[in-house]
Each structure stands twice: as C-alpha cells, then as structure tokens.
Amino acid sequence: RGQFVDISMLDGVLSLLSYHASTYLTTGATSGRVGNRHATIAPYETFMACDGELFLAVGNDEQFARFCRVAGLDDLVQDPRFTTNPLRVTHAQALRTYLVPVLAGRPRQEWIETLTAAGVPCGGVRTVPEALSDPQVRARHMIEAVEHAALGTIAVLGVPIKLSETTGTVRTAPPTLGQHTGQILREIGIDPAAIQELRQRKVV
C-alpha cells in the first residue's frame, strides 16, 4: 500500500552523526575534530600503504593482537599504553608513530589480503576512478549513458535507490541553459509566435 514518504536532507545528514550524537546526548561531551580517526576506537583510521590509502578498523583487543602479529609489531601488545582499547585511544598519536612506517612498507592489496585472512577489518580507500571502475558499479547500473545536447553520448551516475516494481532510470542528460524553454512554454499554452516574441525581447 502506498503511503506518504517524508524525508528531509537535515534528517538524513544528522543521522550520519551516529555515535557522535549518541555520546553527546548521553554524556554532554563531544570528541572534537578527529579527522579520519574514530573517537572511541584505536587504531581505526586511514593509513598510507606504499601505493595508496588503507583503512584499518581494529575494533577490539583481540583484533589488535592479530594485527600486531601480521604487522610484525608483537611488542606493542604488551606495551602498557596499548593493552586495551581505551588506552590506545588515549595514546593514539603515540600508536600512530609505530604504525605509520610499518604500514607504508607494503602494498595496499597485500595488507588487505593478509589482514583479512587474519580477521582484521580493513579496506582500500579508493580513488574516484577506482570506485567508478568497480564491476559491481556496472552490475548495479550505477553508470548510465545518455545523450547530451552539446557533448553527444556521456556517462552519468545512475539511480541509487532500486525499487522492485517501479525501476528508476536516467532518461536525459543535464540540460544546457535554456534547452527546454520552448518546450515548457508550449506545454503551458503559449503559442509559437508569442514564444518567438519573448525570445526577441530577450525575456527568455
């Protein structure tokens, strides 16, 4: 059954605050700006491998121990600054000084494969070309070809919301300035002579 759907941009963006909002609403505290780092988990942020960026998401102490074994940093597991997640958060900058040079020493894909095999969440931070060239993007019809009035065939992003009964498609390219003015004026009942007069007077 159909129903009215009420979605606002404010609500959507505010929901992305996630745990930042929860922390403030329950404690009144804010973490401040932490960049790509998680405010309450460490290490949980981006690092540079030797050929691109990597996101490392070590969510608990066991994962930290597994990460250290893979990275050859076993001594860090017993370091009193890093034995628990709260301590790692407190000493996040000190922890980074150990991780940055080690993670920069291998290719990104090698880290992804070895860490994934060890049960440590991670992933590559893709460039725009890497993201758009993913086979799954094509399979999901997230890149479509349309005809542009001035440029010919161009590629544009597809529809991200897939509805089973009313499939959305991208029907037209972004219009050029005034491309549909005449068509719209005719649709609202203005005759061609009047449209031409408006054009001559530079009203449209």
Side-chain angles (χ1 to χ4, degrees), residues 6-199:
D6 179 1
I7 303 172
S8 81
M9 291 176 66
L10 173 62
D11 298 350
V13 172
L14 202 64
S15 70
L16 297 177
L17 285 175
S18 180
Y19 62 88
H20 295 287
S22 298
T23 299
Y24 174 73
L25 292 172
T26 56
T27 70
T30 60
S31 63
R33 294 182 177 182
V34 294
N36 291 324
R37 182 167 59 84
H38 198 290
T40 60
I41 306 173
Y44 198 110
E45 59 182 297
T46 56
F47 294 90
M48 286 299 301
C50 69
D51 60 350
E53 258 188 310
L54 172 80
F55 196 92
L56 184 63
V58 178
N60 56 53
D61 298 340
E62 184 181 343
Q63 288 178 0
F64 181 66
R66 293 201 298 266
F67 164 75
C68 289
R69 282 196 296 271
V70 171
L73 294 169
D74 298 272
D75 291 346
L76 295 186
V77 178
Q78 304 303 323
D79 190 310
R81 296 170 296 175
F82 312 134
T83 53
T84 66
N85 180 68
L87 288 169
R88 290 193 295 276
V89 172
T90 299
H91 301 286
Q93 290 305 319
L95 181 59
R96 274 188 62 86
T97 63
Y98 293 99
L99 304 191
V100 167
V102 171
L103 290 166
R106 300 189 206 172
R108 182 175 64 178
Q109 190 57 37
E110 182 179 325
W111 279 119
I112 292 171
E113 291 173 2
T114 56
L115 290 173
T116 299
V120 179
C122 64
V125 179
R126 297 180 177 185
T127 63
V128 171
E130 286 173 337
L132 294 177
S133 63
D134 190 303
Q136 186 69 0
V137 171
R138 297 283 178 178
R140 296 284 297 168
H141 304 289
M142 277 307 298
I143 297 180
E144 304 221 16
V146 292
E147 290 299 317
H148 189 275
L151 303 175
T153 302
I154 64 170
V156 297
L157 287 177
V159 180
I161 301 171
K162 319 297 186 189
L163 303 177
S164 60
E165 302 301 324
T166 52
T167 304
T169 59
V170 179
R171 298 185 299 277
T172 63
T176 57
L177 181 63
Q179 179 180 339
H180 299 120
T181 299
Q183 175 186 335
I184 293 169
L185 292 176
R186 288 191 298 274
E187 288 177 358
I188 64 175
I190 300 178
D191 64 71
I195 294 173
Q196 183 60 29
E197 180 185 353
L198 291 172
R199 292 191 187 281

